[in-house]
């Protein structure tokens, strides 16, 4: 999301060198001691894409770094002789990758860290026919994954979350907001004043997401908790992990045929367009974690996809599968801005070089102050009323009766992906996000050149349901601000929001300003073993192939009720247990679907 931070500040920030400690990180393939490993984890992405795709590509680069757990899980249980190669995006030296409030200048994830609706997992269990995906089984991974720590400002968090739902011993430090903002008390007051529509939810980690909640963020001790500072750092002393940065996998290599299926236990990669390609081979498996955009691109470049599409780029089809790159699903985002009183919003900070510099000095001194703010302190998930007219023509696409249709995201400053921040004034923003979209997009190769960005058409708002729901989400944001708590704070809606009086006005406004919160999923969807669609089976194995698993957001067949990093970490935790201990992962649960209510989708 666009957020103007003075250039000089960015330069100052980038001049400060902050290096996570990574063991055996290799900058160049020639430094790798061998080219054969037990496992190869492909987690690097493309760089240098066009402006609009730059955001997506950075997401693609960072998202894969969430998936180290498979390799690490293997480590925990396997002999240390097991060797692993990972290709990885490096955040070494990037200050904005550590300072929470600078996230928008880099546009990796915004750190909001939760897991979605329990009904998302039960729905995945129904779709895949594998009860190991049910919430009942999946919630065990929360405690393995996270470590809840005090917020940066040390405030009393009683009533802001439910401690018993959380891990205290996991890998990734997370916390409640560490810097309070002007809107906090007004939002909480609104959950009392307008409680029937906007109730308070103490902790959505329960699996019930409905209501307004304090955001839990992947922030510990005032710093971003990234996969490199957490999972990768936890194995920094392991000698059997080689991490290769600055390498892009250009395709999987076919290494033979096993049980009648093509085996792909090799990868080809290159440092940059035009550089010589290198190869590496896996004795056991290649784990593809290149993200919802990178993974289908690599599959297609390897001859796995729609035969006609591949033929148009002179790529020989090895596995025909028309689901690769299809069913792309994402959370569309529409920001609504209001002009507010006074100077309490964070807008002034972003415009004032010396204030920013002293905030940075404070952050460096003791990791407190405005820079530990994780961009939003509250979010809320809501349903359309059950008698909404749209349900006369569309069956409810949400994951279940306690899952949501839309989200409201509250920030105490100007936040807008497409409109630059005004030069004066104070603002608050409520973004409306579509959580249960029925639109499905796709990704196709633009060319057989692996360094060329694929064509991505998300097809946002292409269904009547999506248009209706986003419209209702704008109305809900306006109702939220009509509560008494805002009377002495909000001056006026900003810009075109001020003239959204009719449904047609809102639709035009939505068409003009809707973009994305970057939660694409579904392009290598998981489905039941015998399904006539889908790309991976419930154990993450690439259908029709030997030696390949896909472990990233691309396997979610629908987008969950969450900012996707949390659900993706849980998925990676499960992948680790399936790969490391296949017998224990879910054998006892499999086939026992009786507790799930059958639903039609
Ligand atoms: C935090 O607040 C709660 C409720 O107001 C109170 O019971 C508790 O003693 C406080 N904890 C500390 C450490 O002050
Ligand atoms: C995807 O590939 C698998 C394995 O070859 C096949 O069973 C499935 O039908 C394919 N799906 C589609 C939609 O082509
Ligand atoms: C898209 O997903 C739906 C299930 O949600 C499935 O029925 C359909 O076949 C999928 N389409 C493709 C091309 O994979
Ligand atoms: C952190 O440092 C700032 C000065 O940079 C100081 O004002 C503040 O009191 C310190 N906070 C804590 C908790 O030490
Ligand atoms: C910004 O400044 C202009 C020119 O002085 C003024 O007309 C406008 O009302 C100001 N906007 C806000 C939001 O304060």
């Amino acid at each position: 999301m666009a957020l103007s931070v003075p250039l000089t500040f960015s330069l100052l920030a980038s001049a400060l060198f902050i290096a996570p400690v990574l063991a055996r990180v290799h900058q160049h393939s020639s430094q790798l001691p061998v080219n054969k490993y037990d496992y190869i984890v492909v987690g690097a992405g493309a760089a240098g894409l066009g402006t609009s795709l730059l955001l997506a590509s950075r997401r693609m680069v960072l998202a894969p770094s969430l998936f180290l757990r498979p390799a690490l899980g293997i480590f925990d249980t396997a002999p240390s002789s097991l060797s692993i190669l990972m290709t990885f995006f490096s955040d070494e030296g990037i200050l904005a990758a550590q300072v929470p409030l600078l996230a928008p200048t880099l546009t990796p994830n915004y750190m909001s860290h939760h897991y979605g609706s329990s009904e998302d997992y039960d729905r995945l269990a129904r779709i895949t026919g594998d009860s190991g995906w049910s919430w009942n089984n999946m919630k065990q991974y929360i405690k393995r994954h996270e470590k809840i720590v005090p917020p940066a400002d040390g405030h009393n968090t009683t009533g802001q979350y439910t401690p018993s739902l959380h891990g205290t011993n996991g890998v990734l430090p997370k916390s409640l907001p560490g810097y309070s903002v002007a809107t906090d008390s007004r939002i909480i007051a609104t959950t009392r004043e307008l409680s029937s529509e906007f109730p308070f939810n103490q902790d959505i980690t329960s699996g019930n997401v409905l209501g307004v909640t304090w955001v839990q963020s992947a922030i510990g001790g005032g710093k971003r908790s990234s996969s490199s500072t957490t999972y990768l750092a936890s194995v920094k002393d392991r000698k059997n992990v080689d991490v290769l940065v600055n390498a892009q996998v250009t395709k999987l290599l076919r290494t033979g045929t096993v049980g009648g299926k093509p085996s792909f236990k090799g990868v080809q990669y290159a440092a940059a367009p035009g550089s010589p390609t290198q190869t590496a081979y896996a004795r056991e498996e290649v784990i593809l974690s290149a993200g919802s955009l990178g993974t289908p691109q690599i599959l297609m470049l390897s001859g796995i996809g729609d035969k006609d599409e591949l033929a148009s780029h002179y790529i020989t089809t090895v596995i025909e599968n028309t689901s690769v790159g299809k069913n792309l699903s994402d959370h569309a985002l529409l920001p609504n801005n209001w002009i507010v009183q006074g100077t309490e919003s964070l807008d002034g900070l972003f415009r004032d070089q010396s204030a920013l510099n002293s905030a940075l000095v404070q952050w460096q001194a003791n990791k407190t102050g405005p820079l530990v703010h994780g961009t939003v302190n509250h979010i809320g998930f809501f349903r359309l009323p059950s008698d909404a007219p749209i349900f006369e023509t569309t069956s409810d696409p949400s994951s279940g009766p306690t899952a949501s249709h839309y989200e409201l995201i509250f920030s105490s400053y100007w936040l807008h992906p497409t409109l630059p921040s005004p030069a004066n004034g104070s603002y608050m923003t409520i973004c409306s996000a579509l959580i249960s979209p029925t639109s499905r997009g796709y990704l196709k190769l633009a060319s057989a050149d692996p360094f060329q960005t694929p064509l991505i058409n998300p097809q946002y708002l292409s269904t009547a349901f999506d248009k209706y729901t986003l419209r209702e989400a704008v109305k809900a944001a306006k109702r939220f601000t009509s509560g008494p708590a805002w009377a002495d704070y909000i001056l006026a809606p900003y810009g075109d929001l001020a003239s959204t009086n009719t449904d047609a006005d809102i639709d035009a406004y939505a068409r003009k300003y809707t973009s994305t919160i970057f939660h694409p999923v579904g392009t290598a969807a998981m489905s039941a073993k015998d399904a006539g669609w889908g790309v991976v089976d419930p154990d993450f194995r690439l259908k029709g192939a030997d030696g390949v698993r896909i472990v990233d957001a691309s396997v979610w067949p629908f987008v969950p009720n969450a900012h996707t990093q949390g659900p993706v970490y849980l998925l990676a935790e499960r992948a680790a247990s399936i790969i490391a201990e296949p017998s224990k992962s879910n054998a006892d649960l499999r086939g026992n679907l009786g507790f799930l209510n059958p639903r039609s989708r």
Side-chain angles (χ1 to χ4, degrees), residues 2 73 88 139 156 234 269-270 320 365 428 481 494 510 514 541 546:
F88 194 71
K139 66 185 180 192
N156 186 339
S234 74
Y269 62 93
E320 160 94 56
M428 65 175 265
T481 60
Y494 178 87
T514 297
R541 285 182 205 278
D546 168 71

Side-chain angles (χ1 to χ4, degrees), residues 319-323 529 531-535 543-545:
I319 299 176
E320 160 94 56
N321 193 319
T322 53
S323 294
K529 278 204 152 68
W533 60 283
V535 179
K543 289 179 187 252

